[in-house]
Amino acid sequence: MHYQRRTPLLQHLVEAVGVMLAGRGGARMLRVLNVELSRCTVLSQLMRVALPSLVTPRVLGVDDFALYGDAYGTLLVDATTRLPLTLREGRNAEQLSRWLRAHPGVEVACRDGSLTYRQGIADGAPKAVQVSDRFHLWQGLSRRVQEIAAAHRGGLPAALPPGQACDPPPHEEAAEDPAGDTPAGRHARRLFEAVHALTEAGRSYSSAARELGLDRRTVRKYARARTWHEVMRRPPRRPSTLDPYLDYLQQRWDEGEHSAKILHQELLAKGYLGHYQRVKMAVAPLRRGLPLDEPREHPPSPREAS
């Protein structure tokens, strides 16, 4: 009908369902209860519901949220009931302090590490105790652990208990570790020895990186490692059709032939059926003074370690 009327009990039911399920979900629930209303009607009734009177909480939660792009807002929450109190545009200390002065009684203010919020709470509620919630405590702890992991990445293996040491004895390494006979293992061992030879001679990481044609972080990773096993993180690469010709490539390179196109033509004459690009990628380490066995991976980041 054009002018629909509801009893107070029915009106309270519509409002309660709207508060719990909003428009579309509320309309579906009311349909189950044999009350035919559209989602727009449920939302309009929800907007007419008077907001509860604001009661100053004893424990106030303050945090920011992103509106869009670099635009942020401030959310104030009753930390005891977990209900939002108000939303403010921007992250402004004076705005927060004015709200606190207008609503005295806050005893504990739970916030993040923002200096803006700290100043606003100190100005508006100087007697309130400022604390951090669990999320920001874990966030701050994880950042600190990440900084420590980045600064002491090379010392992490030394922190293991003696019974968990994963480095095999030197005399048993070749016999018990099959990774040492793989191209990836030989590459890691050669690069480990080259980096340590330079750094132990007093060369800086940057100097060693320039001479070996590597990134400074890669040189630092190898220099901080105690054995080449620590820098070998991935399983050996899959066999390639170029593997039988690697010794020939190394021989021709040592003889002075540095053209990937000519080397590819010579390999074709020997029966190689692969593409020129594979030969070009294979000799790329040789141009930087590295071993021919090129496979390697990026080291784990401090964030992954933390």
Side-chain angles (χ1 to χ4, degrees):
M1 60 181 62
H2 186 64
Y3 295 98
Q4 186 176 9
R5 302 184 184 279
R6 306 186 186 93
T7 63
L9 184 60
L10 180 57
Q11 180 66 21
H12 177 72
L13 175 64
V14 172
E15 294 175 354
V17 172
V19 170
M20 297 298 297
L21 301 176
R24 198 179 300 275
R28 289 197 295 264
M29 176 57 70
L30 290 172
R31 196 174 300 115
V32 174
L33 301 176
N34 202 23
V35 180
E36 294 291 338
L37 292 177
S38 67
R39 62 181 182 87
C40 296
T41 304
V42 177
L43 288 177
S44 66
Q45 296 301 316
L46 176 61
M47 298 299 293
R48 296 178 184 179
V49 177
L51 295 176
S53 57
L54 179 61
V55 178
T56 302
R58 188 184 70 87
V59 182
L60 175 68
V62 183
D63 202 356
D64 59 357
F65 64 95
L67 291 170
Y68 54 87
D70 295 332
Y72 290 86
T74 299
L75 171 65
L76 303 183
V77 180
D78 186 338
T80 303
T81 62
R82 300 184 180 181
L83 295 178
L85 300 176
T86 183
L87 297 175
R88 300 286 180 175
E89 185 177 356
R91 295 180 289 188
N92 188 277
E94 179 59 28
Q95 186 182 69
L96 177 58
S97 63
R98 284 199 306 268
W99 190 93
L100 290 171
R101 284 192 294 267
H103 301 82
V106 175
E107 300 178 8
V108 180
C110 188
R111 60 171 180 83
D112 59 7
S114 171
L115 299 179
T116 300
Y117 291 150
R118 183 180 71 175
Q119 185 63 37
I121 296 171
D123 295 342
K127 295 183 179 180
V129 179
Q130 300 189 32
V131 299
S132 293
D133 54 42
R134 287 184 297 177
F135 170 78
H136 291 106
L137 283 175
W138 278 111
Q139 186 183 56
L141 176 61
S142 64
R143 288 177 179 175
R144 183 55 181 162
V145 171
Q146 182 175 338
E147 295 174 359
I148 296 176
H152 303 282
R153 180 188 297 177
L156 291 178
L160 293 175
Q164 298 182 8
C166 59
D167 299 331
H171 61 280
E172 300 178 0
E173 179 177 320
E176 298 183 1
D177 190 2
D181 295 331
T182 63
R186 291 194 297 270
H187 168 78
R189 184 166 59 249
R190 293 171 184 172
L191 197 56
F192 174 83
E193 295 172 355
V195 170
H196 274 261
L198 293 175
T199 55
E200 291 175 1
R203 301 283 292 275
S204 64
Y205 293 165
S206 299
S207 176
R210 286 192 298 269
E211 179 166 335
L212 296 176
L214 298 174
D215 187 86
R216 184 181 182 277
R217 290 173 296 181
T218 303
V219 173
R220 181 179 61 183
K221 178 188 71 171
Y222 277 87
R224 291 180 175 180
R226 295 184 303 168
T227 65
W228 62 269
H229 294 83
E230 298 177 15
V231 294
M232 184 179 174
R233 298 292 185 180
R234 70 176 185 179
R237 63 179 176 86
R238 296 178 180 178
S240 170
T241 55
L242 189 61
D243 288 348
Y245 306 95
L246 291 180
D247 293 338
Y248 178 79
L249 283 178
Q250 183 69 58
Q251 175 186 346
R252 295 290 291 132
W253 186 273
D254 296 338
E255 294 174 355
E257 183 54 69
H258 297 169
S259 173
K261 182 175 294 187
I262 295 178
L263 291 173
H264 178 248
Q265 294 174 353
E266 294 180 2
L267 292 181
L268 291 178
K270 288 182 170 293
Y272 175 65
L273 301 178
H275 195 269
Y276 155 76
Q277 191 67 24
R278 184 67 188 89
V279 178
K280 180 180 177 181
M281 294 174 58
V283 299
L286 297 176
R287 302 186 188 278
R288 300 194 299 268
L290 299 178
L292 187 62
D293 305 320
E294 186 262 343
R296 58 179 179 271
E297 66 170 5
H298 296 289
S301 65
R303 181 176 182 180
E304 294 172 342
S306 63

